[in-house]
Amino acid sequence: MKAKKKSVLLRLLGIALSLFVLFGLSVAGGLLWWVMKKPGGTALPLDAALISLESPRGKALLASSTAKGDWPRLKRHFVPQSKRSFCGVASSTIVLNALAVRSPKITQETFFQQRGKGTVSFWKVLFTGMTLEQLAKLLQRQNIQVKHFHADRSTLKDFRTHARKVLTKERVFLVVNYARKALKQVGVGHISPIAAYHKKSDKMLVLDVASHKYPPVWVDTKMLWKAMATVDKESKRSRGWVHVGVKSLAIRKRPQKGR
């Protein structure tokens, strides 16, 4: 009798374990499907502080901007992020193709082929995205000039000066890492290139790679700065920006505050 009860108990435990494994596989499969799925959905409304490039005012700001040397190349090579966590990957492929560093063009699928030792993997980025430092390291594998700046180790004035200098040139780019919440947008950390600067209004044009959610937007420089000065929970450091260019057009990195 005891042996029979033991047999039944073992059978029930086996069934329970099988169900648990099946449940785990189902959850893992669902998560993998979600992160691999191409992002989409309805465009979200913009806060009144942001100006869509697609609006008459947004177009007028671009037309009157004198710091938009990067705009034609960025527009030509723009691609939306292909996966939910690929804002950094999409931004990287845009600027790398604008620099014409490789032929054929780099895609979000081939970007990690040049990853190299000491940089983050495709799977890590797929599930958790990338930090400012990880973005810089991945770009450095492409034999180009890359400098990254943490907002809390610099100043708003430094950022504005740097951006104006970069955006008046061609084949030199800025990619910003910021918190969406600080721009009154839905989401957490995000990465996108800067396409232009408008001096009179002191606004910068963020070429949002999550184009299924938001269009390119003009943002007050101070507002963007505050969004970059937020702390990234993974790195425990502030966000910031990355300077990308061919080595002959490099901008010398200034000493940062606190060093």
Side-chain angles (χ1 to χ4, degrees):
M1 190 70 177
K2 288 184 178 180
K4 188 175 181 180
K5 285 184 177 180
K6 185 177 181 181
S7 176
V8 171
L9 181 60
L10 288 173
R11 192 177 303 166
L12 290 173
L13 286 173
I15 293 171
L17 180 60
S18 297
L19 290 173
F20 179 78
V21 171
L22 286 173
F23 175 75
L25 290 173
S26 176
V27 171
L31 178 60
L32 183 60
W33 172 83
W34 188 82
V35 297
M36 291 291 289
K37 181 184 177 185
K38 184 177 180 179
T42 306
L44 300 175
L46 288 176
D47 185 79
L50 306 177
I51 302 171
S52 170
L53 177 62
E54 298 168 358
S55 69
R57 189 181 175 196
K59 292 176 181 177
L61 287 171
L62 182 62
S64 58
S65 169
T66 57
K68 54 184 177 184
D70 293 338
W71 167 247
R73 285 178 178 270
L74 289 174
K75 182 181 179 182
R76 188 183 317 136
H77 295 286
F78 179 83
V79 289
Q81 62 189 80
S82 61
K83 294 178 175 56
R84 297 177 189 276
S85 59
F86 268 29
C87 55
V89 178
S91 298
S92 297
T93 59
I94 292 168
V95 297
L96 290 171
N97 288 324
L99 283 170
V101 296
R102 271 168 49 192
S103 181
K105 290 174 65 174
I106 300 169
T107 68
Q108 293 175 68
E109 289 68 37
T110 63
F111 176 69
F112 287 93
Q113 291 177 0
Q114 298 290 321
R115 183 170 67 88
K117 188 177 180 180
T119 55
V120 291
S121 69
F122 166 87
W123 292 105
K124 188 275 173 192
V125 175
L126 180 66
F127 282 96
T128 65
M130 64 176 78
T131 66
L132 182 69
E133 296 94 334
Q134 290 164 350
L135 171 65
K137 285 182 179 180
L138 283 167
L139 285 167
Q140 285 167 352
R141 299 298 303 176
Q142 304 294 332
N143 194 31
I144 56 176
Q145 180 68 38
V146 180
K147 300 283 186 182
H148 71 280
F149 302 79
H150 289 277
D152 66 348
R153 301 301 299 273
S154 189
T155 66
L156 170 60
K157 183 179 179 181
D158 287 340
F159 172 60
R160 183 186 289 111
T161 301
H162 190 166
R164 287 177 61 184
K165 188 172 183 179
V166 167
L167 294 168
T168 55
K169 297 177 180 289
E170 294 183 7
R171 300 189 70 202
V172 191
F173 303 94
L174 285 186
V175 178
V176 289
N177 174 212
Y178 59 96
R180 279 202 182 278
K181 190 175 181 180
L183 299 189
K184 309 295 177 62
Q185 294 181 331
V186 176
V188 284
H190 193 55
I191 297 171
S192 285
I194 296 292
Y197 173 72
H198 190 268
K199 183 178 179 180
K200 187 175 181 180
S201 64
D202 193 28
K203 295 183 185 296
M204 295 199 181
L205 179 59
V206 179
L207 200 60
D208 200 324
V209 294
S211 55
H212 62 287
K213 291 170 65 174
Y214 296 108
V217 292
W218 288 98
V219 185
D220 286 339
T221 302
K222 187 175 182 179
M223 188 179 191
L224 180 58
W225 169 259
K226 288 182 177 180
M228 292 191 298
T230 54
V231 175
D232 184 311
K233 290 183 179 180
E234 180 181 344
S235 68
K236 304 296 189 295
R237 298 196 64 183
S238 79
R239 297 176 172 90
W241 73 97
V242 179
H243 163 98
V244 184
V246 292
K247 291 186 176 180
S248 60
L249 294 177
I251 291 180
R252 187 177 179 181
K253 189 171 182 178
R254 294 183 177 185
Q256 295 183 333
K257 186 175 69 175
R259 290 186 177 178

